[in-house]
Amino acid sequence: MAKPRKPKIDDSKPDNSGAVVRHQKLCLSIKMDKRQIYGYTELEIAVPDIGIVGLHAENLGIESVFVDGEPTEFEYYPRQQNVVESEKKWSRVSTPSLAADTAASAYTSALEKELVPNLLIRAPNEQQDQVNLDNGEAKQNVKLVRINYWVEKAETGIHFNDNVLHTDNQIRRARCWFPCMDEASQRCCYDLEFTVAHNLVAVSTGSLLYQVLSKDDHSHKTYVYRLDVPVTAQWISLVVAPFEILPDHHLGFISHMCLPANLSKLRNTVEFFHNAFNHYEEYLDAKFPFGSYTQVFLAPEMAVSSSSLGASISIFSSQVLYDERVIDQTIDTSIKLAFALAKQWFGVYVVPEEPSDEWLLDGLAGFLTDLFIKKFLGNNEARYRRYKANCAVCKADDSGATALTSSASCKDLYGTHCIGIYGKIRSWKSVAILQMLEKQMGPESFRKILQKVVFRARDTNPVRSLSTKEFRHFATKVGNLERPFVKEFFPRWVGSCGCPMLRMGFSYNKRKNMVELAVLRECTATPDASASVLNSDSDNREGDIGWPGMMSIRVYELDGMYDHPILPLAGEMWQLLEIQCHSKLAARRFQKPKKGSKPDGSDENGDAVPATDIRSSLESPLLWIRADPEMEYLAEIQFNQPVQMWINQLEKDEDVVAQAQAIAALEALPQLSFSVVNALNNFLRDPKAFWRVRIEAAFALANTASEETDWSGLLHLVKFYKSQRFDATIGLPKPNDFHDFPEYFVLEAIPQAVATVRAADKKSPREAIEFVLQLLKYNDNTGNPYSDVFWLAALVQSVGQLEFGQQSVVFLSSLLKRIDRLLQFDRLMPSYNGILTISCIRTLVQIALKLSGSVHLDHVFELIKPFQDFKTLWQIRIEASRALLDLEFHYRGIDAALSLFIRYLKEEQTLRGQAKLAAHAMRLCQIRDRSDSKDDIKSTTLVALLSVLEGHLAFNNIYLRHNLFCILHILAGRTDEGFGWVEAGMHLLCRFNVEFEFQPCFQSADTIWGSQR
């Protein structure tokens, strides 16, 4: 047995040997009681002329290596932790700036080292004169390399949790449980054998061939899997546990597995799944690429993220499971499962040719998921989600790091660009770009492209990689797009950053019966960022920061709707366009307002619909105007039109995007008339309107409530709620009845909207506080077949949003008693995923921070500290830790909060909990960075953060490591200046992961029962 070699300081890094793995076999025995994993792997490797094979291996004990059955020499360079040298290096770290420099050096160095093979095996290259009779070419020097090994500690890449063993599929962590070529360019087929105790089930990648009792020990069983589709090592997964197996009733080759306690939830959750599976196969006109598909659900504290993917297997947190009584979780779970299935097609089966092509596969998977949402959750849900995602992208797409194919955002960031909110931004942008292409070429042509991509991957000479260049070729050949358009489209949208930012206004020329539209086109990205990326792409035209294509302007007139595709997105920044109207004023006569109407068109009772298009027709035949109504472009549009036209758009346009835009415009008005309030109220009351947009109308009403409007917005909200939920005879809430799901979601949001109402002194009105207290006091779920846990959680959160003044603070005692009663009740009968306790903790901390002058910190700490006990539910424990960090930060500053964070981090045993704590600490650092008073960071705190960054905790958890790097950068207040591409790109990732907190009103719910126009 060769001992691991400790590399000297002046040793050069071993280069990649250039070997190619043709096939790999993995045979492991798992001793769950002893926490042991041992066995061997056999690799068929085409050995290069140098005669050296380089593999990746970490956290492994290499017992012996054989080549073609003969022992051979090998050198193993495991990851070393030289704490003494590190401490010497950190001794000079005294400022956040120096700490950030050290962090950048340590992080990039660690990422670079991960690319280098560290298990070098001697495989002599013998001269071969044999000829391959099939093609006449000389045979390559293929060797069979066998490595006997054991896993030293199952803490990286693979983990033991009670009676469960599972992998986590983190980037470049497959090497931590079996030697392999852990690179995106190395793909091969696998044979997998796992021997476990007979009462356990071993679930892995590929199709299960058979299971058999072990010859030597009948108390153990061996599971044998085969994967005939070449994949990278990252997609090899393994889960061992005493599973309950639920075969899919509709598709026999699909299995769903969970631990016994969750079987009833599992059965209810996956009932829909065959619909998504069949829809994808029908759309792509191809069978599922793998012989089987398995969904595994584990306890949330076991996984490093809510979902992890392997070839033909997806591992989820059991937190996404729900029973028939839970309403709010359904849509989020459906989309998460549908997206994981889409990634099997695009991402695992069809792979990116280069790191710069990852956006394409991620976008195609998201595109498939959107198709699922549209068909099974409704067109309203799909369009609303896409609109919110596009708004998020436009807000964030302002620098070179968001260029999807630039080296700064892909290759040189070693996969870290997919971590955190930045990864979501990239995904949303990728999907938006592909949807733009679909609209340009037509749905059927785009579908043919996807079918062609899948077909060639299944061909006799399969091509399973896809590049951006190839997709451009398909866009012209299959999609019939013109070459000049494609040549401009991809460099500008994919290879560059920034989205069009259009500011529009118009006037009506009565003499010409024409709309004169003024447009100013800008870019969301800074000019320097756009220019730097554009200049790096030779296909781009110099100095042109426009976008290809023509945007459509839709004009709603008295006589109908008319589209005008006349707005170019390139050329002059200022443009003046003329649009001919089709309707004539002479065709309409003015109708006198009703008796008792106000000048603004509203009635005395405040509930009647105002005279909408009639008043606007006095001066023009225009009802309202929209730019890019079909969302053909990813653009930020600021359109100015009269208030009455916004009201017309809200009341008469059936598109949910148009309605959301109208609500946002009306809410932002500097002066609010009663007609605006009435329009919002009428929309809120309309049961035919989409429930998500009705919720936006509710919050807009709350925002309009003020003394100037006689609190009409607040009164409308309370009146509507009482009309739906109160017993008119006794004036108290009726028992809960949640059968009408859309109405349930709207009413669930009303108390939160009411809690945001503020008086002139920035405090909540007495009526708002009394309303929320009454709802908490008289909530009754008797006879309701559905759970009210989300309903109650929303009520509790609304308490945290209230602002108490001197006169209303008397209600605080009653509210706190209600919250305490809910906490006690949740201890006795735990709610779904601990949601109720989590809401109570958040609300208590919010109240404590708002009333910091009269609340003692120690008392609040004592109240929340018990929830940190490791016997409590994982979600509650993490929320309690985050709450205590908030309190520490508010009362004692960022240095004390970070010191407490490091302590909690070392105590937290779960990878997911560590990552969540680090993400929260990162937000606190950003809050401190934005504040005027910045307290000092002690050098001991900086050194402690660096120690964790370079320690085993960070190596085991790539999400924690990345967040720690971001924390140190934020503390230094770093900007993009003075950095190389790698450091600058990583700094941008830090900013995205913290500054951009996108919370898109996606209240978890199932819109299958919602309004679907």
Side-chain angles (χ1 to χ4, degrees):
M1 171 182 172
K3 294 183 178 180
R5 177 185 173 189
K6 179 179 177 181
K8 299 178 181 178
I9 298 177
D10 58 349
D11 276 353
S12 60
K13 299 176 183 177
D15 295 329
N16 195 320
S17 67
V20 178
V21 179
R22 299 293 187 83
H23 182 273
Q24 185 162 1
K25 181 179 181 180
L26 180 61
C27 299
L28 293 178
S29 295
I30 293 110
K31 300 291 185 181
M32 197 71 72
D33 53 343
K34 298 180 180 179
R35 298 294 194 260
Q36 292 179 349
I37 306 171
Y38 60 91
Y40 69 91
T41 183
E42 291 181 347
L43 305 93
E44 294 181 13
I45 303 179
V47 181
D49 295 338
I50 194 175
I52 300 293
V53 173
L55 302 177
H56 297 98
E58 289 289 356
N59 197 38
L60 305 178
I62 308 298
E63 180 179 343
S64 56
V65 179
F66 298 85
V67 175
D68 288 342
E70 297 295 330
T72 189
E73 298 177 357
F74 68 93
E75 292 184 357
Y76 180 31
Y77 302 83
R79 176 176 168 271
Q80 299 290 335
Q81 287 296 323
N82 197 330
V83 180
V84 177
E85 290 185 4
S86 295
E87 289 180 352
K88 290 180 181 179
K89 178 174 60 178
W90 298 336
S91 62
R92 60 183 176 84
V93 174
S94 57
T95 64
S97 180
L98 289 174
D101 290 339
T102 306
S105 175
Y107 193 17
T108 54
S109 176
L111 292 170
E112 288 170 356
K113 289 178 180 177
E114 290 178 4
L115 303 180
V116 181
N118 61 335
L119 175 58
L120 303 182
I121 301 171
R122 182 174 176 78
N125 190 357
E126 301 174 359
Q127 294 293 331
Q128 297 191 14
D129 297 328
Q130 298 178 354
V131 175
N132 189 323
L133 298 178
D134 293 336
N135 52 26
E137 297 179 355
K139 286 185 177 179
Q140 289 185 321
N141 183 23
V142 178
K143 299 288 186 180
L144 181 63
V145 178
R146 172 172 172 144
I147 305 170
N148 298 321
Y149 74 99
W150 71 91
V151 178
E152 292 184 342
K153 285 186 178 181
E155 60 181 11
T156 307
I158 191 166
H159 312 272
F160 284 104
N161 292 94
D162 297 328
N163 58 346
V164 177
L165 172 76
H166 64 95
T167 57
D168 59 31
N169 297 94
Q170 294 188 75
I171 301 173
R172 295 182 293 275
R173 293 300 179 267
R175 66 190 68 181
C176 296
W177 67 284
F178 68 97
C180 58
M181 287 193 177
D182 203 359
E183 302 174 3
S185 60
Q186 293 282 352
R187 299 186 294 274
C188 69
C189 300
Y190 286 83
D191 282 317
L192 307 165
E193 297 182 10
F194 304 104
T195 301
V196 299
H198 68 90
N199 62 326
L200 300 175
V201 178
V203 189
S204 187
T205 299
S207 299
L208 177 63
L209 300 182
Y210 58 88
Q211 50 183 306
V212 62
L213 291 176
S214 300
K215 296 180 181 179
D216 301 330
D217 185 1
H218 292 304
S219 65
H220 285 74
K221 186 188 296 185
T222 300
Y223 290 81
V224 181
Y225 290 86
R226 174 171 294 169
L227 180 64
D228 294 326
V229 177
V231 298
T232 59
Q234 181 187 353
W235 303 126
I236 303 301
S237 299
L238 171 65
V239 187
V240 180
F243 283 126
E244 291 284 349
I245 303 175
L246 179 66
D248 196 280
H249 297 302
H250 303 274
L251 301 167
F253 51 87
I254 298 179
S255 299
H256 316 283
M257 302 186 187
C258 69
L259 297 176
N262 293 318
L263 182 59
S264 61
K265 291 182 181 178
L266 175 66
R267 186 175 286 108
N268 183 72
T269 301
V270 300
E271 186 63 34
F272 82 98
F273 187 71
H274 67 282
N275 291 323
F277 197 93
N278 290 331
H279 180 57
Y280 290 167
E281 286 191 335
E282 178 184 350
Y283 182 83
L284 298 172
D285 193 24
K287 293 295 183 182
F288 187 63
F290 302 101
S292 63
Y293 184 60
T294 305
Q295 296 187 123
V296 179
F297 297 86
L298 299 176
E301 63 269 20
M302 295 183 184
V304 71
S305 59
S306 60
S307 64
S308 61
L309 302 180
S312 76
I313 181 174
S314 296
I315 304 172
F316 301 95
S317 163
S318 60
Q319 191 173 352
V320 304
L321 297 175
Y322 58 90
D323 59 29
E324 63 278 359
R325 299 186 71 245
V326 174
I327 302 173
D328 299 61
Q329 185 63 41
T330 52
I331 192 169
D332 283 350
T333 296
S334 300
I335 293 174
K336 184 177 291 292
L337 269 56
F339 178 71
L341 179 61
K343 287 287 288 185
Q344 294 290 327
W345 288 93
F346 299 108
V348 180
Y349 182 61
V350 180
V351 298
E353 186 172 295
E354 298 290 341
S356 58
D357 301 317
E358 290 178 4
W359 76 272
L360 181 54
L361 279 304
D362 199 28
L364 289 175
F367 181 86
L368 271 188
T369 308
D370 273 14
L371 292 178
F372 162 79
I373 295 173
K374 184 176 182 179
K375 181 166 184 178
F376 296 103
L377 303 181
N379 186 55
N380 282 345
E381 179 73 19
R383 281 187 61 81
Y384 185 86
R385 282 182 169 265
R386 179 49 40 201
Y387 168 65
K388 289 297 181 179
N390 287 359
C391 290
V393 173
C394 291
K395 180 179 179 182
D397 192 11
D398 61 356
S399 60
T402 50
L404 297 177
T405 60
S406 72
S407 60
S409 63
C410 300
K411 184 177 180 181
D412 294 340
L413 294 179
Y414 312 99
T416 59
H417 55 280
C418 297
I419 298 177
I421 189 65
Y422 180 69
K424 293 182 181 179
I425 294 296
R426 286 177 56 88
S427 296
W428 291 333
K429 183 177 180 180
S430 301
V431 177
I433 289 172
L434 292 176
Q435 289 184 338
M436 282 192 284
L437 281 173
E438 183 205 29
K439 292 183 181 297
Q440 291 293 329
M441 67 180 69
E444 199 56 39
S445 296
F446 193 84
R447 181 183 181 183
K448 289 179 180 179
I449 292 179
L450 269 61
Q451 291 175 349
K452 185 176 182 63
V453 170
V454 174
F455 175 78
R456 69 175 192 162
R458 305 171 66 93
D459 202 0
T460 53
N461 295 315
V463 179
R464 295 195 177 94
S465 62
L466 180 63
S467 69
T468 305
K469 184 177 181 180
E470 290 174 316
F471 202 79
R472 288 176 59 169
H473 176 74
F474 290 147
T476 55
K477 292 295 183 181
V478 182
N480 296 320
L481 293 181
E482 297 180 356
R483 287 183 180 274
F485 173 83
V486 174
K487 189 175 181 180
E488 283 188 89
F489 182 91
F490 278 87
R492 193 62 190 90
W493 283 109
V494 181
S496 183
C497 61
C499 302
M501 185 166 59
L502 304 173
R503 305 174 190 272
M504 302 185 187
F506 78 95
S507 64
Y508 173 68
N509 189 319
K510 187 174 182 181
R511 184 175 62 83
K512 297 181 178 180
N513 194 26
M514 186 175 290
V515 174
E516 296 173 341
L517 183 68
V519 182
L520 170 62
R521 189 189 73 250
E522 297 175 308
C523 182
T524 58
T526 59
D528 293 340
S530 298
S532 63
V533 180
L534 282 170
N535 293 338
S536 66
D537 195 321
S538 59
D539 288 340
N540 282 281
R541 298 176 300 175
E542 259 186 60
D544 187 0
I545 58 170
W547 292 262
M550 300 284 284
M551 181 177 286
S552 179
I553 305 298
R554 179 171 292 176
V555 181
Y556 292 82
E557 304 179 26
L558 293 173
D559 291 341
M561 176 193 77
Y562 303 93
D563 282 332
H564 306 273
I566 60 170
L567 176 57
L569 296 181
E572 296 293 330
M573 293 177 59
W574 284 96
Q575 298 186 58
L576 182 63
L577 307 174
E578 293 184 341
I579 302 175
Q580 185 64 53
C581 293
H582 296 74
S583 305
K584 295 183 179 180
L585 291 177
R588 302 284 178 177
R589 297 182 61 185
F590 173 62
Q591 181 177 340
K592 294 183 179 180
K594 294 184 296 181
K595 185 178 181 180
S597 297
K598 297 181 181 180
D600 60 7
S602 60
D603 292 350
E604 294 290 345
N605 58 16
D607 288 330
V609 179
T612 54
D613 57 318
I614 298 175
R615 293 184 58 82
S616 62
S617 66
L618 286 173
E619 300 178 357
S620 76
L622 305 176
L623 299 181
W624 69 95
I625 300 176
R626 292 184 63 194
D628 193 25
E630 299 301 325
M631 289 193 295
E632 296 177 321
Y633 294 95
L634 180 60
E636 178 182 325
I637 300 173
Q638 299 177 14
F639 197 89
N640 292 318
Q641 60 182 347
V643 174
Q644 189 56 55
M645 296 181 72
W646 284 119
I647 295 176
N648 293 345
Q649 180 171 320
L650 176 62
E651 294 180 340
K652 295 183 176 297
D653 201 319
E654 295 187 351
D655 180 21
V656 294
V657 175
Q659 295 164 356
Q661 290 172 338
I663 290 173
L666 293 174
E667 184 181 6
L669 291 173
Q671 294 182 346
L672 296 168
S673 63
F674 285 100
S675 61
V676 172
V677 176
N678 288 333
L680 292 171
N681 179 49
N682 292 334
F683 189 85
L684 170 66
R685 289 175 169 271
D686 184 5
K688 296 180 180 179
F690 185 48
W691 62 270
R692 290 196 190 276
V693 189
R694 291 175 67 190
I695 290 175
E696 290 200 12
F699 280 92
L701 269 176
N703 193 44
T704 65
S706 64
E707 296 178 358
E708 289 76 12
T709 59
D710 295 331
W711 303 106
S712 57
L714 173 61
L715 297 177
H716 281 314
L717 288 172
V718 174
K719 183 177 180 181
F720 169 67
Y721 189 95
K722 290 185 175 181
S723 68
Q724 300 295 105
R725 294 279 299 117
F726 272 53
D727 188 332
T729 57
I730 60 176
L732 294 176
K734 295 182 289 187
N736 296 334
D737 182 3
F738 299 156
H739 285 88
D740 188 343
F741 290 171
E743 206 67 22
Y744 160 79
F745 293 122
V746 174
L747 293 172
E748 185 182 56
I750 296 295
Q752 297 184 65
V754 169
T756 63
V757 176
R758 297 289 182 267
D761 59 355
K762 305 300 180 183
K763 304 299 181 182
S764 299
R766 182 188 182 97
E767 295 79 6
I769 298 176
E770 289 179 338
F771 176 70
V772 174
L773 176 59
Q774 187 179 33
L775 298 185
L776 262 180
K777 184 177 180 180
Y778 293 103
N779 180 71
D780 181 8
N781 207 47
T782 304
N784 186 20
Y786 300 102
S787 169
D788 67 342
V789 58
F790 284 93
W791 180 271
L792 275 172
L795 280 176
V796 171
Q797 288 179 15
S798 65
V799 175
Q801 294 171 339
L802 294 170
E803 291 284 352
F804 297 93
Q806 293 182 351
Q807 296 180 350
S808 58
V809 77
V810 295
F811 295 104
L812 183 59
S813 176
S814 298
L815 289 168
L816 291 177
K817 286 180 181 178
R818 294 293 163 187
I819 293 174
D820 182 64
R821 185 175 298 178
L822 291 174
L823 279 173
Q824 300 299 329
F825 178 78
D826 210 32
R827 280 198 184 105
L828 296 174
M829 299 181 63
S831 60
Y832 173 77
N833 289 334
I835 287 174
L836 189 53
T837 296
I838 290 172
S839 297
C840 291
I841 292 174
R842 289 177 181 172
T843 296
L844 289 173
V845 171
Q846 285 178 301
I847 294 174
L849 295 179
K850 292 175 182 178
L851 304 176
S852 57
S854 56
V855 176
H856 294 289
L857 174 65
D858 294 338
H859 294 166
V860 184
F861 259 85
E862 291 173 3
L863 180 64
I864 297 177
K865 185 67 177 175
F867 293 104
Q868 272 194 310
D869 189 277
F870 283 94
K871 295 181 181 179
T872 60
L873 198 63
W874 171 82
Q875 297 95 321
I876 296 176
R877 187 175 76 244
I878 298 301
E879 186 60 39
S881 296
R882 291 194 288 200
L884 294 176
L885 288 175
D886 285 339
L887 293 170
E888 189 77 7
F889 171 70
H890 182 82
Y891 283 93
R892 294 173 182 158
I894 189 63
D895 186 79
L898 289 175
S899 298
L900 187 63
F901 156 68
I902 294 171
R903 197 184 97 197
Y904 289 167
L905 192 63
K906 294 178 179 178
E907 294 173 354
E908 180 59 40
Q909 299 175 358
T910 65
L911 297 181
R912 196 174 179 195
Q914 294 168 358
K916 284 185 174 292
L917 288 176
H920 193 71
M922 190 166 60
R923 294 187 184 96
L924 296 180
C925 292
Q926 187 68 18
I927 295 172
R928 177 255 186 187
D929 187 58
R930 290 173 176 172
S931 64
D932 296 332
S933 58
K934 299 180 181 178
D935 50 329
D936 294 333
I937 309 294
K938 296 179 181 178
S939 60
T940 53
T941 304
L942 297 173
V943 170
L945 289 170
L946 287 170
S947 178
V948 179
L949 176 65
E950 290 198 340
H952 70 279
L953 280 180
F955 179 78
N956 297 345
N957 190 337
I958 63 170
Y959 305 100
L960 169 63
R961 181 173 65 175
H962 189 76
N963 290 340
L964 286 168
F965 169 80
C966 293
I967 287 172
L968 287 162
H969 253 47
I970 295 166
L971 290 175
R974 285 288 167 84
T975 63
D976 305 342
E977 299 175 2
F979 285 85
W981 268 113
V982 176
E983 290 82 357
M986 287 185 172
H987 171 75
L988 288 168
L989 299 187
C990 301
R991 184 174 58 77
F992 271 113
N993 289 333
V994 182
E995 282 189 359
F996 189 73
E997 293 290 334
F998 175 53
Q999 301 293 339
C1001 290
F1002 291 167
Q1003 310 287 341
S1004 304
D1006 194 339
T1007 51
I1008 294 175
W1009 305 280
S1011 174
Q1012 298 180 12
R1013 291 178 176 170

